[in-house]
Every structure is written in C-alpha cells, then in structure tokens.
Amino acid sequence: MGSATRYLVFYNALSFASWTFLTLRTFVLASSLWGEGGLHRLYDELLFPYVAVTQSLAVVEIVHAASGLVRASPTTTAIQVIGKNLVVWTVMVPFPEIIVGSDGTGDVGAWGFLGCLVFWSLSEVIKYGYFVVMLSTGDTPAWLKWLRYTAFIPLYPPGLLSEAWLVYLSLTRMVHVAAWYRFYLFLGLLSYVPASYIMYTHMLSQRRRVMKKQAHQQ
C-alpha cells in the first residue's frame, strides 16, 4: 500500500467516523427532543463544532479530484462540496432565527436543518465506509457496492430539498440583510435546479456503469 493510498484510507476513515458519530448523535437527540417540540435545539447542540467542522473537512476532496489523487470529476465534486459548505456557512450560521426562531422556541426551518443532518449523514456514512473498504482491500462486497450506488436515489432528493428550504427561508424572512446578500441567496436558490440535475444524472450514469460492470463479473 503506497503513501497516497494510506493517506486516503486515513482521510476516509476519519470522515466515516465523524459522520457516523454525527448520525448517531442526531438520531439520539432528535428522538429525545421530538416529543418535547424541541427539534430546533439540534442547532445549538450540533452545528458547532460537529456539522461545521465535519462538512468543512470535505473541501480537501476538491483538491483530491483536481490533483488526480482520486478518480472523480472535479466539477461534480466541487458542486457537491461547495454547495453544502455554502449552506452551512452562509445560511445556517448567519441565520439561526430560521431554525431556532426569533424567540428561541423553534421555527419551521428546524425541519430543514434536521433533514440536512439526516440525509447528509446517511449518505456520507455509506460513501466513506465504502471507500475505506475498497482502499483497504482492493474490492468491496457486492451488497456494499450496491448500497453505495443506490442509496443516493432516495437520500439525495430530500437532502437537496432540505437545503433549498433553508435557503428559501433565509431569503424570504431575513429582511434586514443587505441587497447584495439577498441577491446571492436568490441566485443560490435558483442554482438548485441545474445543479441538482447535473449531480443526479451524473450519479445515475455512474450507477449504471458500476452495476453493469458488476453484472458482467458475476
């Protein structure tokens, strides 16, 4: 195993552990807060440092793709990674009111925040777990490969809608923001249409290719 592979195993294992922790923490907290009507409290419990740091770490994947360290499209990698980080740092962080409410009792944005946590986490746990196994052993079990290239079908759309919901709320409710920032949010909301099409069709194409290759090997 070369140094580059060892680095990638370490990076993916770290990411897998981080997202697994965040997934478990989200489900434990959400289950306890649900009955109390306190889902908005997930924001204070999880945004810093868990969500912010874990999601920000993924920025290095753009470098991995651009440098050829991994066989991945730099464009689609950048769309996915930058898109999520912009939601974290330019929507979730500056506009807590859309999630926790102006009086701290919660708002409808809490559902969007929960959606991001759940669907991002589940997707990333599967992805990073797959890469840890593949890089460590040179192959993956058929079930894991199927899961890696199938789970996005039900997980991606609600995750995307959760992101877009938070952007929409920040655009329509935060009237005190500067005009240029509102324009940025508006463009961001519009960008979900082409970006989601590019990403989803790319992943479907990737799935067909992988599943076809696996079928021929059986």
Side-chain angles (χ1 to χ4, degrees), residues 39-58:
L39 283 178
H40 60 283
R41 288 162 55 192
L42 288 171
Y43 182 90
D44 291 328
E45 294 282 349
L46 296 177
L47 184 61
F48 290 107
Y50 305 120
V51 178
V53 173
T54 303
Q55 186 56 62
S56 297
L57 179 64

Side-chain angles (χ1 to χ4, degrees), residues 82-100:
I82 293 175
K84 289 180 178 179
N85 271 284
L86 287 178
V87 170
V88 170
W89 293 106
T90 68
V91 175
M92 292 179 179
V93 171
F95 304 124
E97 301 98 321
I98 63 174
I99 298 169
V100 301

